[in-house]
Amino acid sequence: MKLNVLPDSGGVIAVDHLGFDPFEAGVLAVTRHFMTSFDAPNLQAWQAGFKIAVERWGENIGLSAAYSVLKLVKALRDVRSDFDYHDPLCTDARVWATADEAQLMRMLHHMRRDQTNDARDALDVLTKGRMDPQVIRAGLTLAARFGAGVPRRGPRPAFHVVN
């Protein structure tokens, strides 16, 4: 998947041009709240992240999905404290993704479809060359739990995670 950066856009990408499915779009919204919760803990934005997930997917799926997203965000924040994301409460920014957000969602998009090489490329860009095992594990766990429904053929290709 090629990232469609709009000319003179300051590096933002239109979310609807990225080709993500509705689940992935929901993950992006939840991710932004969790990112905010790390940068401004007093706002307790994590609560909004869980609430949005439950509203989107129901309590059984939403709570589990939000927790998985939180684990991915935490792992990513441990590697990338400079992750650029949009304010989840800005209505104008909801239709745009930063380059970092797009790479994160691209990684998850490909992991959910067992497209290992593309997922690995997105991870490489996302983590600036650091193939962090915690990010990989959290991404693969989320992808396995909430796959895109693509039938698997033969053994599932996977990243090698070292403890």
Side-chain angles (χ1 to χ4, degrees):
M1 172 188 309
K2 183 179 179 196
L3 295 179
N4 299 312
V5 179
L6 301 176
D8 302 319
S9 66
V12 297
I13 302 108
V15 172
D16 62 353
H17 289 135
L18 292 172
F20 299 138
D21 66 28
F23 179 79
E24 293 158 351
V27 167
L28 178 58
V30 172
T31 296
R32 288 173 172 168
H33 285 284
F34 289 151
M35 286 288 179
T36 300
S37 72
F38 285 102
D39 287 336
N42 60 320
L43 296 178
Q44 297 188 7
W46 60 271
Q47 291 183 41
F50 276 96
K51 181 179 179 198
I52 288 169
V54 169
E55 289 172 354
R56 283 183 181 265
W57 303 303
E59 190 169 305
N60 289 337
I61 293 171
L63 291 175
S64 179
Y67 181 69
S68 294
V69 172
L70 179 59
K71 286 173 61 175
L72 177 58
V73 167
K74 171 69 171 101
L76 181 58
R77 291 291 298 215
D78 288 345
V79 176
R80 290 273 320 272
S81 61
D82 64 339
F83 186 90
D84 186 30
Y85 64 95
H86 285 302
D87 178 349
L89 300 179
C90 178
T91 55
D92 293 333
R94 288 182 184 165
V95 297
W96 301 101
T98 68
D100 286 341
E101 289 173 332
Q103 285 298 346
L104 173 62
M105 298 313 300
R106 181 175 168 247
M107 179 193 77
L108 183 60
H109 175 87
H110 291 302
M111 284 180 169
R112 291 179 70 224
R113 289 159 180 80
D114 287 333
Q115 298 167 344
T116 304
N117 291 335
D118 291 332
R120 188 176 291 124
D121 291 345
L123 175 68
D124 184 52
V125 173
L126 178 65
T127 61
K128 298 182 178 181
R130 183 176 170 193
M131 302 299 270
D132 184 77
Q134 298 305 320
V135 174
I136 295 167
R137 186 175 291 115
L140 288 174
T141 299
L142 178 60
R145 176 85 194 242
F146 304 100
V150 176
R152 294 192 172 107
R153 296 181 193 106
R156 178 183 173 139
F159 289 92
H160 178 68
V161 178
V162 180
N163 287 329

